[in-house]
Amino acid sequence: MTTDFVALEGKTRGYRFFAAVLGVIALAGFISFIISYIQGHQVFGSNNVIPWGMPIVLTIYLIGLSAGSLILSSLTYVFGREEYRPIARMAVFLAIVLIFGAMLSIAIDLGRPEKFWRLFMFFYMNNMSSMFAINGILYGGYFIISLVYLGIIFAGNHRASRITGIIAVGWAVLVHMGTGAIFGFIAAREAWFSPIKPLEFLAAALTSGVALLIVAVTLTLALSGRELKKEMVASLGRLLIYFIIILLVLIIVDKLTHLYSPHREATLYLLTGQYSWIFWGFQIGLGVVIPLAVLFNPRLNKTIGWVVTAAVSVVIGIFFERYYLVIPGAAYPMQYYPGKIEGVWGSTGSFPLTPVEMVLSVGIIAFLALIFILGLKYLELLPPGEPAKEEVKESVAEAGEANNTAKTSEGQ
Amino acid sequence: MARWGMVIDLDKCTGCQSCAVACKAENNVPHGSPEEHERRTAPFWHKVIAVSNGEYPAVRIDLIPMPCMHCDDAPCVTVCPAKATYRREDGIVIQDFRRCIGCKYCIVACPYGARSFNYKEPEEKEYHRPDLPPERADRGIWPFPHRVHGVVEKCTFCFHRIDQAIREGKKVGEEVVPACAEACPAHAISFGDLDDSDSNVSRLLSSRQWMRLREEMGTSPKVFYLTG
Ligand code: SF4
Ligand code: SF4
């Protein structure tokens, strides 16, 4: 079976309108970045207890989505699962856009972003025992490999796309485990320090990647009047079940090992402290319980609407998992000396959500959504619509298309 | 090569904070407002923490002055991607503002909270960096020996004093000590060469009971606390 791919026409008012809206939000994000560059990170919520804020949350989240979505594209190009072919190109393109966004977010979070290039002076100016430097290689390489991969897919060379697909997937796995290692190798932060963090990150990547792909794909296809196979969505939903269960097992193991080890205070704080409702409500509730309840229900797991609902719930849940790890995960005060440390030095870190940081984060997402819909217009990523319906539905289609991307970014 | 270390006598320390103040003055560390201190965005190179154990009236308070521990196996050096934090041959862990990209990974990794990020453009721009060439003279267009926002800084063991003393042939540890040790009215802080068995710090360590903070982190700190 061969599928042709076409580009979106993108001439309707709806499409232009959404592109413009996204552009404006992205511009607002850019202005916030300039403010933070001139005024320093005092305009962010981060401080010396919780050094990393929303840009890092976004980074690891976007990397997760990217790796997950790339790994899925391999189902077609490496394992030859034809039923996923209509969405495979979109998956690869989405992966590229997302990894670009992740690198952008890291650069923005640096105190001196103009020295970003120092991260890429491998071996020469880098300390290669730093996970950041290693991840510099991983992310940069991943970006290039995915671009090559997409190029080869466009060229239509099956053998070559299979080989690059294998390399790209292996690399994506490394990328995500490397990201987990940034956190997992830090002995000073007890709630992070864990050898299974890389695996947990990988599982979270696959889960959120599949979920985002379900959302993006069904909405894009359905709303642009293209044929959407119920079986494809349902089987993606079944895939999602496996990933959620793996993730759940890893979360439980991670928390249990932390509760058994001598330094359990930070983890106890995460599970029962002030912000534990984020963990139980969002990470476990939205990320695990609701989607599993839907996907295991034999009546619901075959309807597109419900599978998409479960996927949206996962996308939000995993976002909060990342948020909870980076921000409250660092908040518990370090025990410099046994006893209760009095005053500021022993108090739990706080993290105000500042307007500049919020606008910046939303701006990054809008910028990525803009690239994505521009990509749909200028690259041949979509399966062709049915010719008869095409003209009638065109305007609905494009409005819906932009709408979908906007929704996706809300989810993020 | 010497291996500089610090010995702090907790029996003598009165918690007067002179060391923390002297450090701010010596290194021109920016003064934060009380709100910034509360939010933990004010830089501190040296701090004195108070740790309580028990309930009033049976309560015990320990006062612990905490500079950077200049760990022999420093996690901050391991994680710094830009080689901006490195260990000198004499064991001092130093921070090169020119190279620092401000990723804050070192703040995350330091088990002693010894590092501070410059969250805003500081008014106090000067500091002793004889090791770094002055502005624009050498390479690069970034005038970094001036303090700017967006980089991380921390205690240097007053290496500018040590280096100068060695150049002038003075005895480090007796004639010249870091600013905190000099300022301590109780003479609780001693400084010297840990590898020299004749130095005052070695004598103190061999005659008294001592401990180091968070030994379980495996960082081998070079700041020792005398407890008995
Ligand atoms: S105390 Fe912290 S900043 Fe100082 S050397 Fe050790 S890890 Fe680095
Ligand atoms: S903030 Fe600067 S010193 Fe710290 S790890 Fe990053 S580059 Fe190195």
Side-chain angles (χ1 to χ4, degrees):
Chain A
M1 173 177 124
T2 52
T3 317
D4 296 324
F5 289 88
V6 295
L8 205 64
E9 273 221 358
K11 288 212 179 78
T12 58
R13 278 181 55 203
Y15 179 89
R16 290 201 179 140
F17 176 70
F18 273 100
V21 168
L22 292 175
V24 170
I25 303 177
L27 193 67
F30 182 70
I31 293 170
S32 319
F33 165 64
I34 297 294
I35 293 175
S36 79
Y37 183 63
I38 293 171
Q39 304 237 313
H41 282 194
Q42 57 176 336
V43 297
F44 291 167
S46 52
N47 49 62
N48 290 331
V49 188
I50 307 179
W52 287 338
M54 287 307 281
I56 295 289
V57 176
L58 268 187
T59 302
I60 57 176
Y61 185 59
L62 293 175
I63 291 172
L65 294 174
S66 171
S69 144
L70 190 94
I71 290 171
L72 268 188
S73 79
S74 70
L75 288 179
T76 304
Y77 293 115
V78 177
F79 299 102
R81 298 277 296 269
E82 285 303 327
E83 67 267 36
Y84 298 126
R85 188 173 288 279
I87 60 168
R89 279 190 179 189
M90 232 191 295
V92 179
F93 182 65
L94 198 58
I96 295 175
V97 174
L98 292 171
I99 185 72
F100 172 73
M103 295 204 286
L104 192 69
S105 313
I106 297 187
I108 282 172
D109 193 61
L110 296 182
R112 307 286 343 161
E114 77 275 7
K115 285 192 262 178
F116 186 56
W117 56 271
R118 279 189 180 271
L119 278 175
F120 294 98
M121 294 287 110
F122 307 130
F123 300 99
Y124 171 52
M125 278 183 178
N126 286 156
N127 161 24
M128 292 320 287
S129 63
S130 165
M131 274 322 294
F132 261 22
I134 294 170
N135 279 327
I137 297 184
L138 292 180
Y139 298 174
Y142 177 67
F143 186 61
I144 293 168
I145 291 176
S146 328
L147 279 179
V148 171
Y149 183 36
L150 189 66
I152 289 177
I153 291 172
F154 274 131
N157 183 338
H158 283 280
R159 235 181 84 84
S161 62
R162 198 188 144 114
I163 294 168
T164 29
I166 294 173
I167 299 174
V169 168
W171 201 271
V173 170
L174 281 182
V175 161
H176 222 64
M177 306 230 324
T179 311
I182 290 181
F183 296 85
F185 291 1
I186 299 298
R189 307 275 172 168
E190 279 112 17
W192 291 354
F193 186 48
S194 158
I196 63 169
K197 266 284 169 308
L199 296 174
E200 201 187 321
F201 265 58
L202 187 60
L206 288 168
T207 317
S208 58
V210 179
L212 180 72
L213 203 65
I214 293 180
V215 180
V217 156
T218 43
L219 288 178
T220 313
L221 293 189
L223 294 173
S224 62
R226 286 164 168 85
E227 183 198 12
L228 179 64
K229 291 212 189 71
K230 225 179 182 179
E231 304 82 61
M232 185 184 79
V233 179
S235 74
L236 281 176
R238 280 195 297 280
L239 205 57
L240 191 55
I241 295 186
Y242 297 125
F243 291 145
I244 296 177
I245 291 177
I246 295 174
L247 178 64
L248 180 64
V249 170
L250 287 172
I251 291 177
I252 294 174
V253 173
D254 177 66
K255 296 292 181 239
L256 274 185
T257 47
H258 277 122
L259 290 177
Y260 266 79
S261 80
H263 303 287
R264 62 177 73 83
E265 291 83 6
T267 307
L268 271 178
Y269 169 76
L270 287 183
L271 293 179
T272 56
Q274 201 181 353
Y275 296 113
S276 50
W277 52 273
I278 300 182
F279 177 78
W280 296 109
F282 287 93
Q283 182 176 344
I284 298 296
L286 284 182
V288 175
V289 177
I290 294 180
L292 281 188
V294 170
L295 294 172
F296 268 124
N297 188 323
R299 269 190 305 135
L300 302 182
N301 67 9
K302 293 198 183 57
T303 52
I304 292 179
W306 278 103
V307 175
V308 172
T309 313
V312 170
S313 164
V314 169
V315 168
I316 299 172
I318 303 279
F319 174 78
F320 279 96
E321 178 191 10
R322 284 7 186 19
Y323 176 87
Y324 204 55
L325 176 84
V326 174
I327 294 176
Y332 195 77
M334 280 192 251
Q335 207 60 43
Y336 306 131
Y337 186 84
K340 182 182 176 309
I341 300 172
E342 300 290 338
V344 199
W345 301 113
S347 56
T348 316
S350 64
F351 191 91
L353 297 176
T354 64
V356 174
E357 196 165 0
M358 292 303 113
V359 174
L360 182 59
S361 316
V362 175
I364 294 173
I365 292 163
F367 183 53
L368 298 183
L370 184 65
I371 301 180
F372 184 66
I373 66 169
L374 287 180
L376 289 181
K377 179 170 172 182
Y378 292 107
L379 299 172
E380 293 166 351
L381 299 169
L382 290 168
E386 289 146 54
K389 278 189 196 168
E390 178 107 316
E391 284 153 43
V392 194
K393 279 212 170 180
E394 191 66 21
S395 57
V396 191
E398 319 250 88
E401 157 51 21
N403 199 357
N404 138 47
T405 322
K407 272 195 194 126
T408 318
S409 44
E410 265 167 39
Q412 293 174 351
Chain B
M1 201 63 184
R3 199 168 66 96
W4 303 116
M6 190 176 270
V7 174
I8 301 177
D9 192 337
L10 294 183
D11 278 352
K12 286 184 182 167
C13 174
T14 59
C16 71
Q17 305 266 6
S18 296
C19 48
V21 175
C23 173
K24 284 244 175 192
E26 171 79 12
N27 295 297
N28 203 16
V29 180
H31 298 267
S33 65
E35 297 77 55
E36 281 165 355
H37 183 43
E38 198 66 35
R39 254 191 74 197
R40 294 292 298 277
T41 57
F44 274 86
W45 285 18
H46 191 120
K47 57 183 181 271
V48 182
I49 60 168
V51 187
S52 67
N53 275 294
E55 294 263 324
Y56 177 84
V59 64
R60 173 199 157 95
I61 305 275
D62 292 295
L63 300 161
I64 319 279
M66 285 183 69
C68 165
M69 305 288 144
H70 293 271
C71 314
D72 270 342
D73 297 309
C76 59
V77 174
T78 316
V79 301
C80 177
K83 287 191 188 164
T85 295
Y86 58 95
R87 186 182 179 279
R88 298 208 314 183
E89 287 214 332
D90 58 2
I92 297 181
V93 175
I94 212 103
Q95 172 82 8
D96 185 336
F97 305 87
R98 275 234 176 109
R99 293 189 195 146
C100 176
I101 56 176
C103 64
K104 307 187 198 167
Y105 202 7
C106 51
I107 303 186
V108 167
C110 170
Y112 305 96
R115 295 178 152 262
S116 309
F117 187 76
N118 271 311
Y119 282 91
K120 61 172 189 190
E121 194 64 30
E123 282 157 28
E124 300 84 352
K125 286 188 182 294
E126 309 289 335
Y127 50 92
H128 297 288
R129 285 314 292 258
D131 62 322
L132 295 179
E135 268 182 273
R136 294 182 200 246
D138 172 61
R139 70 202 138 96
I141 51 169
W142 311 110
F144 268 45
H146 265 182
R147 192 180 257 126
V148 289
H149 76 75
V151 293
V152 169
E153 55 181 51
K154 69 166 192 71
C155 156
T156 61
F157 261 179
C158 286
F159 78 107
H160 52 282
R161 289 186 173 213
I162 300 174
D163 288 356
Q164 192 177 355
I166 290 174
R167 271 198 304 276
E168 291 172 1
K170 291 188 185 154
K171 256 188 98 59
V172 178
E174 280 154 37
E175 289 163 283
V176 176
V177 289
C180 51
E182 189 178 87
C184 178
H187 297 295
I189 306 180
S190 324
F191 186 84
D193 183 359
L194 297 171
D195 282 354
D196 174 1
S197 53
D198 264 349
S199 69
N200 52 350
V201 286
S202 303
R203 279 201 302 274
L204 280 172
L205 292 179
S206 60
S207 60
R208 303 272 304 273
Q209 257 184 34
W210 53 264
M211 58 122 198
R212 297 183 291 185
L213 295 184
R214 302 194 88 182
E215 288 272 18
E216 76 279 11
M217 290 289 155
T219 50
S220 327
K222 286 202 289 291
V223 174
F224 298 78
Y225 295 90
L226 300 180
T227 53

